[in-house]
Amino acid sequence: MWIYEKKLQYPVKVSTCNPMLAKYLIEQYGGADGELSAALRYLNQRYAIPDKVIGLLTDIGTEEFAHLEMIATMVYKLTKDAKPEQMEEAGLGDFYVNHDNALYYNNASGVPWTASYIQAKGDPIADLYEDIAAEEKARATYQWIIDMSDDPDLNDGLKFLREREIVHSQRFREAVEMLKEERDRQRIF
Amino acid sequence: MKKAGISMNEFTQRKYYRPYVSPFDPCPPIRVKSYETPPQLYLGFQPYNLPQFKPQQALYCGTLWPALFSPYEGKYWGRDEE
């Protein structure tokens, strides 16, 4: 069960109406390494993993939904009140035909989100390594979006999100170390 | 056998844990579950001059080095009570 706080994890500010940037940013919304994939991947892996890492997956999976909400806000603001001609110029003509100015879970090329983006292998090491890889890929995606963006206010939020990927990667790596430890064996320092 | 700061006996290739079992679980509970922790998790950058299998044995094992060999004889299904 979740408790909802009606505020964003980090403030989102967008300086210019820029549908082109929205098209790129939606990669982190409905792309393979986006926040939706991350949240669903982690929360789903919790059921077949040693008890001591379930809490970590719950916490990070939940935070990914907070990130998803930030991305949604950014995409919404970048395209809010954009005219059909502006959407078309940004390469979002087909998106507009399908969705008006609504949001949709697809990647930067318009491919809809699919569950095959995520995996639950049941092997704890395999699952955690996928999670680490996903964090690194998301970090890289944020870098390339920042490179494409000339909106300093938007980039401020994106830099926050990139940093969170780094922290999550570190936590997953620590989880692997916990699973590598010998239970009931004395640790010598 | 000491190599790269770890000896072969310092880690096991399978770990066990006791998952939470609810009094209302419909299937008979498996009290002890396991997962595999193969040797590449521990080796780091492979050091030079590790001991080697004989060529014939290496072909069967899939690796030249005992330090990388991970036998897998099927999943551990646990016992009713440990």
Side-chain angles (χ1 to χ4, degrees):
Chain A
M1 169 171 181
W2 277 264
I3 292 171
Y4 184 73
E5 265 191 70
K6 193 177 159 59
K7 59 185 177 189
L8 294 176
Q9 189 191 6
Y10 186 90
V12 165
K13 198 173 175 211
V14 177
S15 4
T16 44
C17 176
N18 188 344
M20 179 75 88
L21 204 46
K23 180 177 156 66
Y24 301 141
L25 190 55
I26 212 158
E27 182 70 29
Q28 288 295 50
Y29 194 63
D33 308 311
E35 303 290 355
L36 180 71
S37 301
L40 297 181
R41 179 187 298 114
Y42 305 151
L43 294 176
N44 182 250
Q45 284 176 356
R46 295 180 295 168
Y47 297 92
I49 205 145
D51 297 39
K52 57 185 170 187
V53 299
I54 292 175
L56 180 74
L57 287 170
T58 307
D59 289 352
I60 297 183
T62 302
E63 187 178 341
E64 303 297 358
F65 275 129
H67 296 172
L68 188 70
E69 201 177 33
M70 285 175 63
I71 298 292
T73 307
M74 290 172 176
V75 171
Y76 176 70
K77 287 187 178 207
L78 284 165
T79 55
K80 181 168 180 281
D81 303 326
K83 301 218 163 54
E85 308 84 71
Q86 288 175 284
M87 295 291 275
E88 195 175 16
E89 276 170 34
L92 285 171
D94 44 3
F95 186 95
Y96 181 83
V97 164
N98 233 340
H99 309 293
D100 188 9
N101 289 63
L103 276 77
Y104 193 68
Y105 294 115
N106 58 217
N107 71 7
S109 313
V111 180
W113 190 87
T114 166
S116 56
Y117 287 162
I118 65 176
Q119 180 58 285
K121 208 74 208 177
D123 180 297
I125 299 297
D127 282 347
L128 283 170
Y129 269 71
E130 164 164 329
D131 300 346
I132 293 165
E135 294 292 338
E136 302 301 347
K137 288 188 279 180
R139 172 183 57 78
T141 307
Y142 277 121
Q143 289 165 195
W144 313 150
I145 295 172
I146 290 168
D147 291 346
M148 297 289 277
S149 158
D150 55 0
D151 186 330
D153 288 323
L154 186 81
N155 283 356
D156 185 54
L158 294 178
K159 285 170 188 171
F160 171 86
L161 291 168
R162 176 181 174 274
E163 180 59 37
R164 295 310 298 162
E165 308 295 337
I166 292 167
V167 175
H168 292 169
S169 176
Q170 171 65 18
R171 297 296 168 249
F172 283 131
R173 287 159 198 264
E174 288 165 0
V176 171
E177 292 307 310
M178 285 167 64
L179 294 188
K180 281 165 66 179
E181 278 170 14
E182 307 286 343
R183 202 174 58 108
D184 300 333
R185 184 176 286 195
Q186 261 199 328
R187 287 206 278 164
I188 300 142
F189 294 100
Chain B
M1 186 164 52
K2 192 89 176 167
K3 54 191 68 143
I6 55 161
S7 81
M8 289 305 289
N9 299 324
E10 280 177 34
F11 65 90
T12 57
Q13 296 208 21
R14 178 174 278 169
K15 306 287 185 289
Y16 303 90
Y17 66 102
R18 292 177 164 273
Y20 170 74
V21 171
S22 156
F24 305 111
D25 281 355
C27 303
I30 298 171
R31 303 263 174 198
V32 177
K33 293 193 176 178
S34 74
Y35 57 93
E36 304 300 306
T37 49
Q40 79 276 16
L41 290 176
Y42 300 94
L43 190 58
F45 203 112
Q46 181 177 337
Y48 288 106
N49 303 318
L50 287 184
Q52 298 182 354
F53 285 122
K54 295 223 164 17
Q56 179 78 9
Q57 186 65 23
L59 284 171
Y60 284 127
C61 287
T63 176
L64 188 52
W65 300 278
L68 272 177
F69 181 62
S70 179
Y72 183 77
E73 301 296 338
K75 196 172 195 155
Y76 169 84
W77 287 105
R79 283 154 274 177
D80 289 343
E81 197 47 71
E82 199 185 51

